[in-house]
Amino acid sequence: MAVVEKQKTNNPVGKSVPRNDVLEKVTGTAIYTDDIQFGPGLLHCRVVRSPYPHALIKKIDVSKALKLPGVKGVVTGDDFDEYIGLYLKDRHLFARGKVRFVGEPVAAVAATTEEIAEAAVELVEVEYEELEPVLDPEFGAQPGAPLIHPDLGSYERPNFIFPVAGTNISNHFKIRKGDTEAAWPQCAAIVEHTFRVPHVQHVPIEPHVAVAKMEENGQMTLWASTQSPFAQRALLAKTLHIPESDFRVIAPTIGGGFGCKAGVTMESIPCAVAMKFKGHPIKLRLTREEEFYTNFVRQGLVIHLKVGCDKDGNLLAFENRMYWDGGAYTEYGVNVTRAGGYSSTGPYDIPNVKTDSMCVYTNHPVGGAYRGFGMAELHTGVDQVMDMLAEKIGMDPVEFHKRNCVQGGDVLATGMVIHDVGIKECIDKVAQALDWGVKEPPSSPNKLRGKGIALAWKAPAMPPNAGSSALVKMNADGTVTVSVGGQEIGQGTFTAMAQIAAETLGVPYESVKVSGPIDTRYSPYEWQTVASRLTWSMGNAVRNAALDAKKKVLDMVAEAWNEDPKDLDIKDGYVISYKTEESISIKDIVVYGLPKPNDQGWIGGPVVGAGSFMPTYVTGLDAETGQGDRAVVHYTTGAEGVEIEVDKETGRITILRAACSFDVGKAINPALVKQQMEGGFVQGLSSALFEGMQLVGGVTRNPSFVDYRIATAADVPPEIDTFIVEHAQDDGPFGARGIGEHPLVPSIAAVAAALHDATGLRITNPPFSAEKVYLALLDAGLVE
């Protein structure tokens, strides 16, 4: 069926686009902050978006839009034919010939004001021919399902992504360890269950916003709210045929990311438009509604699990079949699927494993990076089946977890031997904090009370050669400037980098400043601010840069004092000699050097240290078995537990207290580590109790905070106990590894276990809303 669609809105709910940057109005003239920063030549961009989940584009007519006063031009897919994508190049900047999800960019309008651009969008006429959509990943993976990407087999990809040409499976990651079929008859207890985890949104406080400007000489500058300035430069420069040295990304401190500002999403649009209007900055900002469904979402998951143990509770066999709802484009989703595959057992030692982790194209919003990178979805199923199996074998869950959790030296499902981990200590600390084994009475007769515990692990999901670099500049006043390429998104990474530099150099922390904003023209390279890797990877680069600077200072002073550098050190900003007990402040000498005796010249000069780090030991995995020497750089492991009450009259869950413990290797800043545990738990709690995108026929029905509920301060338990465990990481700075994502990972499963303990019911698919819980209680006859 062909339909002429007059594009009336940028979103299904038809919201207007108000300006939020007006300073004042004088005699009817608005003064905008944009004009102050970018000048009067700034043009505003709005996007024509698909109203259909799957359709052919038969015709685009922009003539009416171009006649609107203030409109400077319209850009469509006919202007750009290159593909873009981080791990799989499967997406055009604008739809070409076909749309694959509601909200996909079809065209972009540039105008003198945002209001005019929005009005012009309504004048663009697009003729579509609807196609059958794929709205379930398990259906989409079957033979005969409508093909969303017929050209999948020709898409560019790295060698660790395994698409299945002629299907909707854009990555199929397999694990084959031992023999599961032979192990099942040996099991005293077996549990099988299917779980469904919904899509959720990142909902950062600050929506996506970007401004791009191409100069007459062809140089491009992009100002973006981004976690990935260097990755954006590389991807966009290649796609737009701009030399990377002529593409600059400036990334100020951003108002929350959680993964949705990783890679490239809407930033490509103002860049594309800027190429048509050289000399004009082009601004695009997403409305809150657009933020919900036009950018990355956490992809949904259907996970089929089977697990068995012997009569003593020792795990023997495990099968995991995952269908990840990657959405219309899976440039990032394919790596989420890979991470889910190599971590598919959770932090459990199992001798026989069979895993099939499949990323499936659907006509849903695009799945991308989300805090936890697939681990929260995975653990929602894995930890629950372990809780079920413990119950079936008649064993306490804490005892069961401790019996089966991974320990240093264990051979994982991929064949990798895991490093030392402190997960057993984490379990003990959480159990003790919750008074595990003590059944507390509910606070009133209409309440039910229960406790639950769940485990977690996560590795940095990244290419094997993701690198970091840093510069350490010593200043004449004794201060130190650290330059890095990683982004501060509220996780405290600049604080940790300053601490690492100060500790390595031997100067007070207060004297170290980390420079910003990140600017790819001047900042040292960093792959991306993702994967909970900055403390470890960028921290190593900062430490190496600080060691380089320190060596230069000590070599200079050693020459001036005629001493061995090994006898010198820097303490509290002073170079000291352990041999002669001489000392000298680093002030001035780190810039101006030291004079040689008898006025015979000078030694030294401005001190700048450079450092880099890249892991060199991650190996490839066999495409059919998933086996290899080292699948990942390391795992951070931990445990979480909650005590809850369920109101039988409403179904509402109240979290009474929570406990979190993670082995972080070494806590560079214990206060920040604890804050990450608290914040991650609350975000996980939010997805456990409230969050879920309501997708009906490919349309997001709740694209606003009116209908999409997130946790607030009122939902946070009065007690969140946090415990740091430290088993040093051999290649981490001072033994540290990341903790940013991990506390979110086990929250859903912990709440599910507590819900079962309280009610005796298995309500397995989040969110565990009051309505869902009440109806389950009603069906079970637990309420009248």
XYZ file of all heavy atoms in Angstrom, residues 138-228:
710
model
N 12.996 -13.603 18.322
C 12.989 -15.050 18.098
C 12.330 -15.377 16.762
O 12.808 -16.234 16.010
C 12.281 -15.741 19.254
C 12.529 -17.221 19.306
C 12.158 -17.841 20.645
O 11.600 -17.132 21.508
O 12.438 -19.044 20.813
N 11.249 -14.673 16.442
C 10.629 -14.832 15.124
C 11.584 -14.362 14.033
O 11.728 -15.009 12.985
C 9.324 -14.049 15.061
C 8.792 -13.867 13.662
C 8.262 -14.937 12.951
C 8.828 -12.613 13.048
C 7.774 -14.767 11.668
C 8.347 -12.448 11.753
C 7.826 -13.525 11.060
N 12.246 -13.228 14.281
C 13.139 -12.675 13.274
C 14.298 -13.573 12.926
O 14.852 -13.503 11.817
N 14.702 -14.444 13.859
C 15.828 -15.344 13.608
C 15.434 -16.584 12.820
O 16.312 -17.332 12.373
C 16.449 -15.766 14.943
N 14.139 -16.788 12.639
C 13.687 -18.003 11.965
C 13.765 -17.860 10.445
O 13.607 -16.766 9.901
C 12.247 -18.329 12.368
C 12.023 -18.441 13.869
C 12.999 -19.368 14.547
O 13.228 -20.478 14.076
N 13.588 -18.908 15.657
N 13.972 -18.969 9.742
C 13.915 -18.939 8.271
C 12.531 -18.493 7.819
O 11.516 -18.871 8.392
C 14.183 -20.399 7.886
C 14.877 -20.998 9.066
C 14.323 -20.311 10.266
N 12.487 -17.673 6.819
C 11.212 -17.201 6.294
C 10.754 -15.884 6.864
O 9.788 -15.295 6.360
N 11.409 -15.389 7.913
C 11.045 -14.074 8.436
C 11.417 -13.006 7.407
O 12.393 -13.162 6.663
C 11.772 -13.811 9.751
N 10.642 -11.919 7.342
C 10.998 -10.852 6.400
C 12.427 -10.363 6.632
O 12.823 -10.116 7.779
C 9.978 -9.750 6.723
C 8.836 -10.456 7.357
C 9.421 -11.605 8.122
N 13.178 -10.242 5.569
C 14.571 -9.790 5.695
C 14.609 -8.268 5.834
O 14.089 -7.542 4.994
C 15.387 -10.216 4.484
C 15.886 -11.663 4.435
C 16.786 -11.860 3.224
C 16.609 -12.032 5.714
N 15.247 -7.818 6.872
C 15.363 -6.378 7.101
C 16.590 -5.817 6.400
O 16.575 -4.701 5.880
C 15.392 -6.102 8.618
C 14.081 -6.571 9.253
C 15.616 -4.612 8.898
C 14.051 -6.466 10.760
N 17.655 -6.609 6.352
C 18.892 -6.194 5.675
C 19.321 -7.285 4.691
O 20.148 -8.134 5.013
C 20.010 -5.942 6.697
C 19.854 -4.685 7.485
N 20.480 -3.508 7.152
C 19.135 -4.430 8.602
C 20.159 -2.575 8.030
N 19.343 -3.108 8.926
N 18.783 -7.272 3.487
C 19.170 -8.288 2.502
C 20.657 -8.281 2.178
O 21.199 -9.310 1.748
C 18.336 -7.919 1.266
C 17.189 -7.117 1.800
C 17.733 -6.373 2.968
N 21.339 -7.129 2.392
C 22.751 -7.016 2.040
C 23.671 -7.299 3.225
O 24.855 -6.951 3.189
C 23.051 -5.609 1.507
C 22.281 -5.296 0.234
O 22.042 -6.237 -0.549
O 21.915 -4.127 0.027
N 23.165 -7.946 4.272
C 23.961 -8.175 5.480
C 25.311 -8.810 5.177
O 26.333 -8.428 5.761
C 23.170 -9.061 6.452
C 23.912 -9.602 7.676
C 24.415 -8.469 8.545
C 23.011 -10.540 8.483
N 25.336 -9.743 4.278
C 26.580 -10.456 3.983
C 27.691 -9.589 3.432
O 28.869 -9.968 3.491
N 27.354 -8.419 2.916
C 28.368 -7.547 2.320
C 28.810 -6.427 3.263
O 29.703 -5.647 2.912
C 27.828 -6.926 1.022
O 26.728 -6.067 1.294
N 28.221 -6.336 4.433
C 28.563 -5.230 5.334
C 29.965 -5.409 5.918
O 30.369 -6.516 6.272
C 27.563 -5.146 6.487
C 26.171 -4.698 6.093
C 25.077 -4.984 6.906
C 25.922 -3.994 4.921
C 23.788 -4.577 6.576
C 24.640 -3.586 4.569
C 23.583 -3.884 5.406
O 22.314 -3.476 5.075
N 30.661 -4.292 6.059
C 32.000 -4.304 6.632
C 31.922 -4.577 8.135
O 31.085 -4.027 8.840
C 32.684 -2.953 6.376
C 34.118 -2.869 6.858
C 34.736 -1.499 6.590
O 34.205 -0.778 5.723
O 35.735 -1.153 7.260
N 32.844 -5.423 8.623
C 32.833 -5.811 10.038
C 34.229 -6.283 10.445
O 35.033 -6.665 9.599
C 31.845 -6.961 10.256
C 32.190 -8.178 9.403
C 31.294 -9.363 9.635
N 31.608 -10.466 8.726
C 32.556 -11.372 8.941
N 33.296 -11.310 10.050
N 32.781 -12.336 8.056
N 34.534 -6.290 11.754
C 35.791 -6.891 12.208
C 35.686 -8.402 12.227
O 34.588 -8.967 12.111
C 35.947 -6.323 13.635
C 34.559 -6.022 14.078
C 33.803 -5.621 12.846
N 36.812 -9.068 12.417
C 36.825 -10.531 12.290
C 36.222 -11.249 13.490
O 36.114 -12.474 13.480
C 38.250 -11.040 12.044
C 39.197 -10.736 13.200
O 38.793 -10.181 14.219
N 40.462 -11.095 13.041
N 35.810 -10.515 14.536
C 35.204 -11.185 15.687
C 33.683 -11.043 15.721
O 33.043 -11.401 16.703
C 35.817 -10.682 17.005
C 35.794 -9.178 17.181
C 34.649 -8.519 17.615
C 36.939 -8.430 16.940
C 34.632 -7.142 17.785
C 36.926 -7.051 17.114
C 35.776 -6.406 17.546
N 33.106 -10.527 14.650
C 31.652 -10.460 14.500
C 31.246 -11.450 13.408
O 31.829 -11.461 12.323
C 31.186 -9.035 14.138
C 31.605 -8.047 15.223
C 29.677 -9.001 13.920
C 31.044 -8.323 16.600
N 30.224 -12.285 13.684
C 29.886 -13.393 12.791
C 28.437 -13.281 12.304
O 27.528 -13.935 12.838
C 30.086 -14.726 13.518
C 31.440 -14.869 14.150
C 31.567 -15.005 15.532
C 32.599 -14.854 13.379
C 32.811 -15.133 16.127
C 33.858 -14.987 13.964
C 33.966 -15.113 15.337
N 28.182 -12.461 11.270
C 26.821 -12.378 10.724
C 26.472 -13.626 9.931
O 27.347 -14.333 9.405
C 26.895 -11.149 9.816
C 28.337 -11.056 9.410
C 29.135 -11.588 10.565
N 25.168 -13.893 9.817
C 24.691 -15.029 9.027
C 23.972 -14.452 7.815
O 22.825 -13.990 7.913
C 23.752 -15.926 9.855
C 23.315 -17.133 9.011
C 24.438 -16.390 11.131
N 24.635 -14.440 6.681
C 24.070 -13.848 5.467
C 22.774 -14.538 5.082
O 22.601 -15.746 5.267
C 25.078 -13.940 4.325
N 21.833 -13.737 4.564
C 20.554 -14.277 4.140
C 19.568 -14.482 5.269
O 18.508 -15.077 5.072
N 19.912 -13.962 6.470
C 19.018 -14.038 7.631
C 18.990 -12.663 8.297
O 19.635 -11.715 7.843
C 19.497 -15.075 8.664
O 20.627 -14.542 9.388
C 19.905 -16.371 7.984
N 18.277 -12.580 9.409
C 18.287 -11.366 10.223
C 19.274 -11.454 11.384
O 19.285 -10.581 12.253
C 16.881 -11.102 10.785
C 15.905 -10.641 9.720
O 16.244 -9.819 8.865
N 14.694 -11.169 9.763
N 20.102 -12.483 11.394
C 21.059 -12.664 12.488
C 22.352 -11.949 12.121
O 23.139 -12.424 11.291
C 21.314 -14.156 12.750
C 20.000 -14.860 13.106
C 22.336 -14.326 13.869
C 20.117 -16.370 13.204
N 22.594 -10.796 12.760
C 23.772 -10.000 12.410
C 25.022 -10.423 13.169
O 26.127 -10.021 12.806
C 23.486 -8.508 12.663
O 23.088 -8.294 14.001
N 24.853 -11.228 14.209
C 26.002 -11.842 14.882
C 25.513 -13.084 15.607
O 24.514 -13.047 16.319
C 26.644 -10.878 15.885
C 27.959 -11.424 16.438
O 28.621 -12.222 15.792
N 28.334 -10.980 17.627
N 26.221 -14.177 15.407
C 25.917 -15.422 16.100
C 27.186 -15.874 16.804
O 28.116 -16.367 16.182
C 25.430 -16.489 15.118
C 24.957 -17.746 15.792
N 24.353 -18.773 15.104
C 24.982 -18.152 17.098
C 24.032 -19.742 15.948
N 24.421 -19.390 17.162
N 27.206 -15.682 18.117
C 28.375 -16.050 18.923
C 28.078 -17.377 19.619
O 27.043 -17.543 20.257
C 28.677 -14.962 19.956
C 29.931 -15.225 20.743
C 31.143 -14.706 20.335
C 29.894 -16.003 21.897
C 32.297 -14.963 21.042
C 31.042 -16.263 22.617
C 32.256 -15.744 22.198
N 29.034 -18.307 19.526
C 28.832 -19.652 20.051
C 29.880 -20.001 21.100
O 31.043 -19.604 20.987
C 28.903 -20.688 18.917
C 27.923 -20.469 17.788
C 28.167 -21.473 16.663
C 27.273 -21.200 15.458
N 27.560 -22.133 14.337
N 29.440 -20.771 22.100
C 30.348 -21.398 23.067
C 30.051 -22.892 23.060
O 28.895 -23.323 23.187
C 30.154 -20.845 24.495
C 30.583 -19.381 24.588
C 30.926 -21.702 25.506
C 32.067 -19.155 24.594
N 31.100 -23.676 22.936
C 30.987 -25.123 23.051
C 32.138 -25.605 23.941
O 33.283 -25.665 23.522
C 31.068 -25.806 21.673
C 30.013 -25.348 20.681
C 28.621 -25.813 21.067
N 27.614 -25.503 20.048
C 26.877 -24.388 20.021
N 27.053 -23.479 20.968
N 25.990 -24.190 19.061
N 31.811 -25.896 25.187
C 32.809 -26.376 26.150
C 32.296 -27.683 26.751
O 31.175 -27.742 27.250
C 33.027 -25.354 27.264
C 33.992 -25.810 28.362
C 33.959 -24.873 29.553
C 34.857 -25.391 30.678
N 34.720 -24.601 31.911
N 33.109 -28.730 26.718
C 32.682 -30.011 27.248
C 31.575 -30.632 26.420
O 31.467 -30.405 25.216
N 30.714 -31.396 27.075
C 29.646 -32.114 26.381
C 28.381 -32.026 27.230
O 28.184 -32.807 28.177
C 30.054 -33.575 26.178
C 29.065 -34.362 25.318
O 27.931 -33.873 25.109
O 29.422 -35.460 24.864
N 27.503 -31.101 26.903
C 26.285 -30.918 27.700
C 25.347 -32.114 27.586
O 24.702 -32.499 28.576
C 25.545 -29.635 27.283
O 25.299 -29.660 25.863
C 26.354 -28.395 27.630
N 25.277 -32.685 26.392
C 24.353 -33.811 26.209
C 24.740 -34.998 27.089
O 23.874 -35.701 27.628
C 24.312 -34.219 24.734
C 23.647 -33.189 23.836
C 22.240 -32.838 24.298
O 21.475 -33.773 24.632
O 21.909 -31.638 24.348
N 26.017 -35.210 27.230
C 26.466 -36.310 28.090
C 26.300 -35.975 29.566
O 26.183 -36.882 30.403
C 27.932 -36.634 27.791
N 26.269 -34.690 29.885
C 26.200 -34.280 31.292
C 24.784 -34.310 31.857
O 24.608 -34.512 33.070
C 26.784 -32.879 31.446
N 23.779 -34.090 31.013
C 22.413 -34.009 31.552
C 21.988 -35.253 32.314
O 21.376 -35.140 33.401
C 21.409 -33.702 30.435
C 21.579 -32.347 29.793
C 21.772 -32.085 28.476
C 21.568 -31.076 30.458
N 21.902 -30.735 28.260
C 21.774 -30.078 29.478
C 21.429 -30.674 31.780
C 21.829 -28.729 29.756
C 21.489 -29.331 32.093
C 21.678 -28.366 31.086
N 22.258 -36.462 31.838
C 21.843 -37.648 32.604
C 22.513 -37.762 33.980
O 22.000 -38.465 34.860
C 22.269 -38.817 31.698
C 22.326 -38.236 30.324
C 22.816 -36.837 30.523
N 23.634 -37.071 34.173
C 24.335 -37.125 35.455
C 23.760 -36.146 36.478
O 24.159 -36.151 37.644
C 25.819 -36.811 35.249
C 26.514 -37.716 34.263
C 27.936 -37.251 33.967
O 28.621 -36.696 34.835
N 28.382 -37.480 32.745
N 22.845 -35.284 36.052
C 22.324 -34.232 36.926
C 21.225 -34.771 37.844
O 20.318 -35.487 37.401
C 21.769 -33.082 36.092
S 23.019 -32.195 35.142
N 21.308 -34.396 39.115
C 20.264 -34.752 40.079
C 19.091 -33.786 40.005
O 17.976 -34.126 40.408
C 20.843 -34.761 41.486
N 19.348 -32.579 39.516
C 18.279 -31.577 39.381
C 18.570 -30.728 38.159
O 19.719 -30.375 37.878
C 18.197 -30.704 40.629
N 17.491 -30.411 37.428
C 17.605 -29.585 36.215
C 16.495 -28.545 36.245
O 15.353 -28.838 36.613
C 17.488 -30.442 34.930
C 18.662 -31.428 34.823
C 17.434 -29.556 33.683
C 18.538 -32.406 33.666
N 16.841 -27.331 35.859
C 15.862 -26.249 35.742
C 15.927 -25.686 34.328
O 17.019 -25.448 33.795
C 16.121 -25.129 36.775
C 15.267 -23.903 36.457
C 15.824 -25.619 38.186
N 14.778 -25.490 33.723
C 14.681 -24.817 32.432
C 13.692 -23.667 32.556
O 12.632 -23.818 33.171
C 14.204 -25.782 31.344
C 15.160 -26.899 31.007
C 14.685 -27.749 29.829
O 14.728 -27.239 28.688
O 14.260 -28.892 30.066
N 14.029 -22.545 31.959
C 13.110 -21.402 32.014
C 13.458 -20.419 30.898
O 14.605 -20.319 30.469
C 13.200 -20.692 33.365
C 12.014 -19.822 33.668
N 10.848 -20.326 34.190
C 11.798 -18.495 33.487
C 9.967 -19.347 34.350
N 10.524 -18.225 33.923
N 12.430 -19.708 30.460
C 12.596 -18.648 29.465
C 12.270 -17.312 30.112
O 11.273 -17.180 30.822
C 11.677 -18.874 28.262
O 12.068 -20.083 27.599
C 11.763 -17.716 27.279
N 13.129 -16.330 29.848
C 12.960 -14.989 30.408
C 12.854 -13.980 29.268
O 13.484 -14.140 28.216
C 14.155 -14.609 31.290
C 14.396 -15.546 32.435
C 15.127 -16.715 32.249
C 13.897 -15.273 33.694
C 15.358 -17.587 33.303
C 14.121 -16.134 34.753
C 14.847 -17.296 34.557
N 12.086 -12.935 29.514
C 11.977 -11.828 28.566
C 12.309 -10.530 29.290
O 11.676 -10.206 30.299
C 10.575 -11.757 27.955
C 10.276 -12.891 26.996
C 8.907 -12.767 26.330
N 8.745 -13.796 25.302
C 9.089 -13.647 24.023
N 9.603 -12.489 23.615
N 8.911 -14.621 23.161
N 13.301 -9.838 28.767
C 13.754 -8.580 29.359
C 13.430 -7.458 28.375
O 13.811 -7.527 27.199
C 15.265 -8.613 29.652
C 15.706 -7.345 30.377
C 15.620 -9.854 30.479
N 12.722 -6.423 28.807
C 12.255 -5.404 27.861
C 13.338 -4.400 27.486
O 14.393 -4.308 28.137
C 11.137 -4.712 28.647
C 11.594 -4.795 30.068
C 12.269 -6.144 30.188
N 13.064 -3.642 26.435
C 13.885 -2.484 26.109
C 13.739 -1.441 27.222
O 12.662 -1.284 27.792
C 13.421 -1.823 24.802
C 13.541 -2.695 23.588
N 12.678 -3.733 23.326
C 14.415 -2.650 22.541
C 13.017 -4.306 22.171
N 14.058 -3.671 21.678
N 14.807 -0.731 27.496
C 14.715 0.423 28.394
C 15.500 1.578 27.787
O 16.336 1.391 26.898
C 15.221 0.127 29.821
C 14.480 -1.037 30.445
C 16.715 -0.118 29.837
N 15.213 2.766 28.303
C 15.906 3.966 27.832
C 16.930 4.416 28.874
O 16.778 4.182 30.065
C 14.913 5.098 27.576
C 14.922 5.639 26.159
C 16.294 6.096 25.691
O 17.099 6.622 26.443
N 16.572 5.889 24.411
N 17.950 5.112 28.399
C 19.014 5.605 29.286
C 18.563 6.827 30.094
O 19.047 7.053 31.194
C 20.231 6.001 28.454
C 20.723 4.955 27.513
N 20.022 4.595 26.370
C 21.834 4.195 27.515
C 20.696 3.657 25.722
N 21.798 3.390 26.389
N 17.687 7.621 29.513
C 17.148 8.861 30.083
C 18.192 9.707 30.823
O 18.033 10.013 31.994
C 15.903 8.601 30.974
C 14.761 8.106 30.146
C 16.189 7.591 32.104
N 19.267 10.118 30.152
C 20.188 11.069 30.785
C 19.480 12.408 31.002
O 18.540 12.746 30.270
C 21.315 11.208 29.761
C 20.660 10.899 28.454
C 19.635 9.842 28.756
N 19.907 13.147 31.997
C 19.301 14.445 32.261
C 19.406 15.343 31.026
O 18.457 16.029 30.655
C 19.978 15.117 33.472
C 19.673 14.325 34.745
C 19.505 16.563 33.629
C 20.418 14.836 35.961
N 20.557 15.325 30.396
C 20.787 16.155 29.209
C 20.510 15.343 27.944
O 21.188 14.343 27.700
C 22.243 16.631 29.186
C 22.626 17.402 27.943
C 24.134 17.446 27.729
O 24.812 16.441 28.019
O 24.629 18.483 27.262
N 19.546 15.741 27.130
C 19.344 15.043 25.853
C 20.534 15.246 24.915
O 21.410 16.069 25.164
C 18.086 15.710 25.285
C 17.439 16.405 26.433
C 18.556 16.795 27.351
N 20.555 14.484 23.844
C 21.607 14.638 22.840
C 21.534 16.023 22.202
O 20.447 16.505 21.865
C 21.456 13.594 21.742
C 21.961 12.243 22.113
N 21.327 11.435 23.024
C 23.057 11.541 21.695
C 21.992 10.297 23.146
N 23.044 10.336 22.352
N 22.676 16.620 22.001
C 22.753 17.899 21.294
C 24.103 17.960 20.592
O 25.108 17.469 21.111
C 22.567 19.096 22.253
C 23.644 19.114 23.328
C 22.529 20.411 21.504
N 24.121 18.519 19.408
C 25.360 18.630 18.646
C 25.292 19.839 17.723
O 24.226 20.192 17.214
C 25.615 17.363 17.822
N 26.455 20.459 17.528
C 26.603 21.560 16.577
C 27.796 21.227 15.689
O 28.871 20.859 16.195
C 26.848 22.908 17.289
C 27.059 24.019 16.264
C 25.684 23.245 18.219
N 27.604 21.320 14.393
C 28.684 21.030 13.444
C 28.890 22.222 12.524
O 27.928 22.904 12.139
C 28.360 19.790 12.621
N 30.141 22.462 12.178
C 30.473 23.561 11.259
C 31.589 23.126 10.337
O 32.638 22.666 10.792
C 30.899 24.808 12.038
C 31.208 26.002 11.143
C 31.674 27.200 11.964
C 31.980 28.396 11.073
N 32.473 29.568 11.868
N 31.348 23.272 9.043
C 32.406 23.021 8.056
C 32.881 24.346 7.501
O 32.072 25.162 7.033
C 31.921 22.116 6.925
C 32.940 21.948 5.799
S 32.558 20.625 4.635
C 33.431 19.258 5.402
N 34.174 24.561 7.575
C 34.768 25.782 7.045
C 34.869 25.694 5.523
O 34.739 24.625 4.927
C 36.163 26.001 7.655
C 36.200 26.000 9.170
C 35.499 27.194 9.783
O 35.139 28.136 9.043
O 35.297 27.197 11.013
N 35.119 26.826 4.923
C 35.260 26.864 3.467
C 36.421 26.003 2.986
O 36.411 25.502 1.862
C 35.447 28.317 3.001
C 34.233 29.206 3.210
C 33.046 28.802 2.342
O 33.262 28.101 1.321
O 31.902 29.176 2.682
N 37.429 25.816 3.855
C 38.591 25.003 3.460
C 38.356 23.510 3.665
O 39.264 22.700 3.478
C 39.833 25.439 4.228
C 39.692 25.273 5.740
O 38.714 24.705 6.217
N 40.669 25.778 6.489
N 37.136 23.141 4.089
C 36.798 21.725 4.229
C 37.028 21.150 5.608
O 36.749 19.965 5.831
N 37.515 21.950 6.534
C 37.712 21.450 7.894
C 36.379 21.432 8.648
O 35.598 22.381 8.564
C 38.730 22.303 8.643
C 40.149 22.184 8.093
C 41.159 22.938 8.933
O 40.804 23.814 9.731
N 42.432 22.614 8.765
N 36.148 20.366 9.383
C 34.904 20.182 10.121
C 35.173 20.219 11.619
O 36.120 19.595 12.114
C 34.265 18.838 9.761
C 32.965 18.523 10.496
S 31.539 19.399 9.841
C 31.157 18.355 8.407
N 34.318 20.950 12.348
C 34.346 20.930 13.808
C 32.976 20.498 14.309
O 31.951 21.016 13.869
C 34.695 22.311 14.395
O 35.973 22.728 13.904
C 34.741 22.257 15.920
N 32.982 19.534 15.231
C 31.752 19.039 15.832
C 31.817 19.258 17.334
O 32.755 18.799 17.988
C 31.581 17.548 15.519
C 30.456 16.804 16.253
C 29.092 17.328 15.831
C 30.553 15.297 16.011
N 30.853 19.987 17.872
C 30.682 20.123 19.307
C 29.569 19.160 19.698
O 28.437 19.277 19.197
C 30.281 21.540 19.697
C 31.312 22.599 19.450
C 32.204 23.114 20.335
C 31.534 23.321 18.209
N 32.972 24.102 19.745
C 32.580 24.239 18.446
C 30.945 23.259 16.941
C 33.045 25.104 17.457
C 31.415 24.102 15.953
C 32.457 25.021 16.206
N 29.855 18.211 20.579
C 28.852 17.171 20.834
C 28.853 16.737 22.290
O 29.890 16.721 22.957
C 29.118 15.959 19.935
N 27.675 16.383 22.748
C 27.507 15.739 24.054
C 27.786 14.259 23.852
O 26.898 13.482 23.507
C 26.073 15.969 24.554
O 25.848 15.294 25.761
N 29.043 13.858 24.064
C 29.462 12.534 23.613
C 30.419 11.864 24.583
O 31.221 12.524 25.250
C 30.128 12.621 22.231
O 30.600 11.317 21.846
C 31.324 13.564 22.236
N 30.343 10.553 24.629
C 31.307 9.729 25.351
C 32.458 9.291 24.437
O 33.401 8.677 24.920
C 30.609 8.475 25.894
C 29.500 8.735 26.887
C 28.748 7.482 27.269
O 27.533 7.447 27.251
N 29.444 6.409 27.628
N 32.380 9.592 23.157
C 33.293 8.978 22.182
C 33.847 9.978 21.179
O 33.669 9.810 19.971
C 32.562 7.857 21.441
O 31.913 6.980 22.319
